[in-house]
């Protein structure tokens, strides 16, 4: 008898669904199932892991293992996919309305949605084998859409998968009446991404990233102002603000309600704005003003110390906003109505962190003493002043070699999945040939039987005539 059977969907020759850059569902499923097992064991819950590694089990074998273990509950972990790349969010399936499964699924989904900021697609009903044939209340979770490149890149991030796993466990533990305890044995798990944090990437990294995404030259140079200003504006992580500005302005191309002339990188409105017209938006005199307002607005939301400020360029510096949004994930529904707004900013931040610097970027501003200069080469081209540049070069080299390592492992994965697919196809070929042979045997038997029946009918009709 165990408390929970965990079923990592797919495996072995069956990769499950595959994302646009080749991430395989089976890997994500196994990672999350294993992480859940680790968390739950630390909470004193007994777990039966149905698929321990990358092997293939059919659906009835999975059901059998759970039933044999007399598990009290059953979770099957999957990742979703759709033909349209805009589909996103998380959902759960249970067999029927009104059962224990539905309540359990709702509890787990609530936790996942709250912890990740993913869209809630609700509890659905389906006659899946693993839901129908299991003896215990069973839930099949579809976390994220691997077909959506933003969510695929989140799924590549172990911190993100840890977050999902912890949320699943918290939901389950709540349901069985043993709420999650921060035990000393439990590994600390990073849950949400704070807005106030030291810069999570190098300035040249965000410039390279902006350039890779065809940002305008003006937008690329705004990174200097974000880096010069963040420390005097609530210590907001400038990467959060810059990623958000990229999202709001289309990497400086604007093309929405306002144009570049507004020098308003985050679409900030006037204090009395009632609609979304251009005149409802603030027009700043300088980029420094526009960026200061952006950082002050984020710092206010994040509850930075010294906020709300007496003097600010932020036109909507309303005291009631103080501390309302401490984490990037919570920007959804607060800064913008879209339910995936925070996740989209987060996705850009992950992309920035993975960017490898290939070019030298000049700083367009150089506020004296305001900041560390992250350029590879100082303004005058010297690298002898204080050793900072050597440190930067070393950390950039480390990043490059990390990048090469991850590319290598990526290609390794691609090759091994091609091998597996070829194996899978050749096995299918063998099965098809077998089926064709069996079919022709059956055909010839049918002919023989038809002849026999004809003979019998002939005999009968002759007898009747007699
Ligand atoms: Zn699946």
């Amino acid at each position: 008898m165990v408390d929970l059977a965990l079923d990592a969907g797919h495996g072995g020759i069956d990769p499950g669904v595959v994302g646009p850059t080749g991430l395989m569902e089976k890997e994500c499923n196994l990672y999350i199932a294993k992480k859940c097992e680790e968390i739950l064991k630390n909470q004193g819950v007994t777990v039966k892991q149905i698929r321990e590694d990358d092997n293939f089990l059919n659906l009835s074998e999975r059901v059998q293992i759970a039933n044999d273990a007399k598990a009290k509950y059953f979770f099957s972990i999957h990742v979703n996919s759709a033909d349209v790349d805009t589909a996103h969010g998380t959902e759960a399936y249970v067999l029927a309305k009104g059962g224990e499964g539905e309540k359990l699924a709702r509890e787990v989904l609530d936790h996942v949605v709250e912890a990740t900021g993913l869209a809630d697609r609700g509890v659905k009903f389906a006659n899946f084998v693993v839901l129908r044939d299991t003896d215990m209340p069973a839930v099949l979770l579809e976390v994220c859409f691997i077909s959506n490149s933003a969510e695929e890149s989140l799924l590549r991030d172990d911190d993100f998968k840890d977050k999902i796993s912890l949320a699943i466990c918290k939901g389950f533990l709540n349901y069985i009446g043993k709420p999650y305890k921060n035990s000393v044995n439990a590994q600390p798990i990073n849950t949400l991404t704070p807005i106030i944090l030291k810069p999570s990437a190098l300035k040249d990294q965000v410039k390279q990233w902006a350039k890779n995404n065809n940002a305008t030259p003006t937008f690329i140079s705004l990174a200097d102002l974000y880096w010069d200003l963040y420390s005097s504006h609530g210590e907001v992580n400038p990467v959060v603000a810059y990623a958000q500005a990229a999202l709001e302005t289309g990497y400086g191309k604007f093309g929405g309600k306002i144009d570049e002339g507004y020098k308003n990188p985050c679409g900030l409105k006037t204090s009395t704005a009632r609609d979304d017209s251009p005149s409802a938006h603030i027009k700043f005199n300088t980029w420094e003003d526009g960026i200061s307002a952006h950082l002050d607005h984020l710092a206010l939301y994040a509850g930075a110390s010294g906020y709300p400020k007496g003097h600010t360029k932020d036109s909507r510096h309303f005291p009631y906003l103080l501390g309302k949004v401490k984490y990037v994930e919570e920007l959804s529904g607060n800064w913008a109505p879209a339910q995936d707004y925070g996740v989209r900013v987060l996705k850009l931040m992950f992309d920035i962190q993975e960017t490898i610097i290939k070019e030298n970027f000049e700083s367009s501003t150089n506020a004296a003493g305001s900041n560390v200069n992250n350029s590879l080469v100082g303004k005058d081209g010297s690298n002898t002043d204080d050793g900072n540049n050597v440190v930067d070069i070393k950390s950039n080299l480390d990043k490059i070699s990390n990048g090469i390592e991850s590319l290598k492992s990526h290609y390794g994965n691609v090759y091994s999945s091609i091998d597996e697919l070829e194996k899978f196809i050749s096995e299918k070929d063998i099965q098809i040939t077998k089926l064709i042979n069996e079919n022709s045997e059956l055909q010839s038997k049918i002919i023989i039987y038809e002849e026999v029946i004809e003979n019998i009918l002939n005999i009968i009709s002759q007898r009747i005539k007699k």
Side-chain angles (χ1 to χ4, degrees):
M1 177 86 116
V2 297
D3 294 315
L4 179 66
L6 275 168
D7 170 39
H10 312 278
I13 55 164
D14 171 15
V17 290
V18 179
T21 72
L23 182 65
M24 285 184 271
E25 181 193 352
K26 64 173 185 177
E27 294 171 16
C28 307
N29 297 344
L30 187 62
Y31 183 100
I32 293 170
K34 290 250 171 180
K35 184 53 88 175
C36 285
E37 178 181 2
E38 178 190 320
I39 296 167
L40 289 173
K41 282 186 171 166
N42 275 325
Q43 298 289 316
V45 168
T46 50
V47 171
K48 175 70 196 171
Q49 191 73 256
I50 291 179
R51 170 161 82 83
E52 289 281 357
D53 41 41
D54 186 21
N55 60 328
F56 178 78
L57 290 170
N58 68 35
L59 297 175
S60 41
E61 286 170 323
R62 291 167 196 257
V63 168
Q64 189 68 50
I65 293 171
N67 288 348
D68 287 348
K70 299 204 175 0
K72 289 184 205 155
Y73 299 92
F74 178 94
F75 278 172
S76 190
I77 311 287
H78 287 256
V79 172
N80 227 330
S81 180
D83 290 338
V84 287
D85 57 10
T86 48
H88 66 277
T90 188
E91 62 194 20
Y93 286 87
V94 297
L95 184 62
K97 235 181 160 46
E100 251 200 284
E102 187 185 2
K103 279 183 243 151
L104 173 57
R106 190 63 261 165
E107 183 83 47
V108 169
L109 217 48
D110 284 346
H111 277 80
V112 172
V113 166
E114 202 202 312
T116 60
L118 288 167
D120 184 355
R121 299 172 62 95
V123 178
K124 300 175 176 177
F125 306 95
N127 190 29
F128 296 148
V129 172
V130 294
L131 301 178
R132 186 188 60 217
D133 295 346
T134 37
D135 296 337
M136 63 295 298
V139 175
L140 185 141
L141 280 165
E142 294 274 9
V143 292
C144 297
F145 276 76
I146 209 166
S147 47
N148 175 317
S149 55
E151 294 193 351
E152 185 199 25
S153 96
L154 287 176
L155 283 169
R156 279 197 186 280
D157 186 68
D158 287 349
D159 283 346
F160 183 78
K161 285 184 298 241
D162 290 349
K163 214 181 269 187
I164 287 185
S165 310
L166 181 61
I168 293 171
C169 293
K170 282 184 171 174
F172 176 69
L173 291 163
N174 255 15
Y175 185 79
I176 62 170
K178 286 174 113 181
Y180 179 80
K181 282 194 207 84
N182 275 313
S183 86
V184 270
N185 297 330
Q187 262 194 354
I189 284 172
N190 180 9
T191 50
L192 294 168
T193 312
I195 289 170
I196 295 174
L197 194 72
K198 62 180 178 12
S200 57
L202 296 170
K203 185 171 73 176
D204 279 1
Q205 248 182 316
V206 305
K207 287 187 174 183
Q208 183 75 62
W209 166 77
K211 195 163 180 202
N212 294 348
N213 285 286
N214 301 318
T216 61
T218 304
F219 189 78
I220 295 171
S221 71
L222 294 184
D224 293 319
L225 281 168
Y226 277 101
W227 257 253
D228 285 348
L229 295 168
Y230 79 86
S231 56
S232 54
H233 293 79
E235 308 258 12
V236 164
N237 178 359
V239 180
V240 175
Y242 194 74
Q244 192 188 11
L247 183 66
E248 291 280 348
T249 68
Y251 299 92
K253 293 193 247 340
F254 288 85
K257 297 285 179 214
I258 56 173
D259 60 29
E260 190 181 301
Y262 277 72
K263 299 188 173 64
N264 182 344
C266 65
L268 202 64
K269 291 184 182 170
T270 64
S271 58
T272 54
R274 284 177 198 282
D275 55 29
D276 206 28
S277 65
S279 65
H281 294 78
I282 298 261
K283 199 164 187 168
F284 291 100
N285 289 327
T286 62
W287 279 115
E288 185 166 345
D289 286 353
I291 289 171
S292 298
H294 182 192
L295 291 167
D296 273 347
H297 201 59
L298 272 175
L300 175 71
Y301 259 129
S305 75
Y307 279 75
K309 268 186 171 174
H311 293 285
T312 173
K313 298 287 176 187
D314 176 9
S315 47
R316 299 179 70 81
H317 210 66
F318 308 129
Y320 73 86
L321 295 177
L322 183 71
K324 203 164 178 261
V325 174
K326 289 197 156 54
Y327 302 98
V328 177
E329 290 83 349
E330 297 170 343
L331 289 168
S332 308
N334 284 302
W335 186 292
Q339 281 308 303
D340 62 343
Y341 185 83
V343 172
R344 283 161 69 198
V345 174
L346 208 56
K347 192 257 171 192
L348 299 180
M349 292 172 65
F350 282 130
D351 288 348
I352 290 170
Q353 276 165 8
E354 285 173 6
T355 300
I356 294 164
I357 303 168
K358 296 183 201 127
E359 296 162 64
N360 288 334
F361 293 94
E362 291 285 324
S363 275
S364 58
T365 66
N366 200 4
S370 73
N371 223 318
V372 178
N373 187 348
N374 279 322
S375 314
L376 266 173
V377 179
K379 266 203 141 354
D380 57 357
S382 84
N383 59 0
T384 54
D385 45 5
D386 54 2
N388 265 349
N389 285 316
V390 179
V391 174
D392 285 347
I393 289 169
K394 203 188 162 298
S395 92
N396 281 308
L397 285 176
D398 286 349
K399 279 195 187 0
I400 291 169
S401 71
N402 285 342
I404 291 171
E405 281 310 309
S406 75
L407 274 176
K408 273 193 203 159
S409 77
H410 180 66
Y411 280 111
N413 285 341
V414 171
Y415 283 127
S416 72
S417 45
I418 290 174
D419 281 351
E420 292 216 37
L421 275 176
E422 279 175 349
K423 232 170 71 192
F424 184 66
I425 290 168
S426 75
E427 280 171 28
K428 284 271 172 261
D429 278 348
I430 294 170
Q431 283 177 7
I432 289 170
T433 328
K434 239 173 86 185
L435 283 174
I436 292 174
N437 289 342
E438 281 175 15
N439 190 38
S440 66
E441 273 174 38
L442 284 174
Q443 293 286 359
S444 49
K445 276 188 187 158
I446 288 174
I447 295 171
I448 295 170
Y449 288 140
E450 278 175 353
E451 281 170 6
V452 172
I453 291 172
E454 229 178 80
N455 287 339
I456 293 172
L457 288 176
N458 281 340
I459 294 168
I460 293 173
S461 67
Q462 281 166 11
R463 291 259 166 98
I464 291 173
K465 277 178 199 158
K466 278 181 193 167

